[in-house]
Amino acid sequence: MSAFITPDLRRRLKSRKTAVAGIAAVAATTVALSLAPSGEAEAGVQTEAAAAAPVAWKADSKQVAAVHESITSQKSAFEAQLKATQAKAKAEAKAKAEKAAAEKKAAAKAAAEKRAKEQAASRSAARPAKVTYPNNLDGWIREAMAIMKKHDIPGSYEGIHRNIMRESSGNPRAINNWDINAINGVPSKGLLQVIKPTFDAYHIPGTSWDQYDPVANIVAACNYAADRYGSMDNVNSAY
């Protein structure tokens, strides 16, 4: 069939196609404009043009500064609140630790005082209470007898008292300056009239070395009498 189309006919057909396409485009535009008000159609065209153009926004320096200041202020407030919370927690922890340490120290002190009291009570219970004796003949004899008991020295209250009254009448400072001992330079002294060599030989540790001391004099004399006569109770005259 192409053999029957002449060049002239081909030009005419091409011209007709172009015309038809143009008519169709114009018709479509006409239909679109007819469906909308003229103002909206114009706005639509402008909107498409505006959308096609790049958007440019320029920030206001005052607004930026205000936003920056607000953020900085909020940050400072948050940091201040955080520091205050941390400081409060630290102070509470410190106070709690100090309280615990004080309670521990008080408990240790109370325990130490309790132990000290218990130990003192135990020592007091372990050792007998110290006996005090009156400073008179009765007290001297009883104290001397307590010492004699520890050293297994025999002698009764009656035997000691009887010999004391005969020898010195109960005077601890009594001295014999007339008998043979006095002549020999060693007078008898004290409650039981003991000479110095005898006193020194039969002295009991823990008592005084003073020959006139009433307790030391009785103990040494009774120790001598026990060695010589078996007991002071067996002495009924000068010994």
Side-chain angles (χ1 to χ4, degrees):
M1 179 177 178
S2 60
F4 295 98
I5 298 174
T6 63
D8 181 65
L9 180 58
R10 186 179 288 111
R11 283 194 300 272
R12 281 186 290 175
L13 289 173
K14 184 177 181 181
S15 176
R16 182 176 292 180
K17 287 180 180 180
T18 302
V20 170
I23 292 170
V26 170
T29 303
T30 302
V31 171
L33 292 174
S34 66
L35 292 175
S38 61
E40 291 183 5
E42 184 178 355
V45 174
Q46 292 176 355
T47 300
E48 290 179 1
V55 178
W57 179 78
K58 184 177 181 181
D60 189 315
S61 60
K62 291 183 178 180
Q63 291 178 343
V64 172
V67 172
H68 183 270
E69 182 179 357
S70 176
I71 293 173
T72 303
S73 177
Q74 293 177 20
K75 181 182 178 182
S76 299
F78 174 77
E79 290 177 346
Q81 184 178 3
L82 178 61
K83 288 181 179 179
T85 302
Q86 291 175 339
K88 182 180 179 181
K90 186 176 181 180
E92 290 176 348
K94 182 180 179 181
K96 186 177 180 180
E98 290 177 348
K99 182 180 179 181
E103 290 176 348
K104 184 177 180 181
K105 184 177 180 181
K109 183 179 179 182
E113 291 177 348
K114 183 179 179 180
R115 284 195 302 272
K117 289 181 179 179
E118 290 176 347
Q119 291 173 357
S122 178
R123 287 193 296 269
S124 297
R127 63 172 180 265
K130 185 177 180 180
V131 180
T132 57
Y133 299 94
N135 188 27
N136 54 33
L137 182 58
D138 175 70
W140 300 332
I141 294 175
R142 289 195 289 116
E143 184 175 355
M145 289 182 68
I147 297 171
M148 290 163 57
K149 183 178 181 179
K150 292 179 181 178
H151 294 272
D152 296 322
I153 301 172
S156 66
Y157 186 97
E158 186 279 328
I160 295 171
H161 186 273
R162 172 168 46 81
N163 281 284
I164 285 175
M165 297 309 294
R166 186 188 68 250
E167 294 292 335
S168 65
S169 300
N171 178 11
R173 303 299 298 180
I175 182 172
N176 186 327
N177 289 316
W178 54 267
D179 66 2
I180 188 62
N181 292 318
I183 294 172
N184 292 331
V186 284
S188 301
K189 296 179 180 180
L191 291 175
L192 285 170
Q193 293 292 285
V194 183
I195 61 175
K196 180 63 174 172
T198 301
F199 178 83
D200 291 344
Y202 290 92
H203 175 266
I204 294 299
T207 62
S208 173
W209 281 96
D210 181 2
Q211 192 175 347
Y212 285 112
D213 181 86
V215 174
N217 188 281
I218 293 172
V219 173
C222 288
N223 193 24
Y224 164 73
D227 184 48
R228 182 88 180 262
Y229 305 102
S231 170
M232 182 61 76
D233 294 349
N234 298 329
V235 177
N236 295 299
S237 61
Y239 60 109

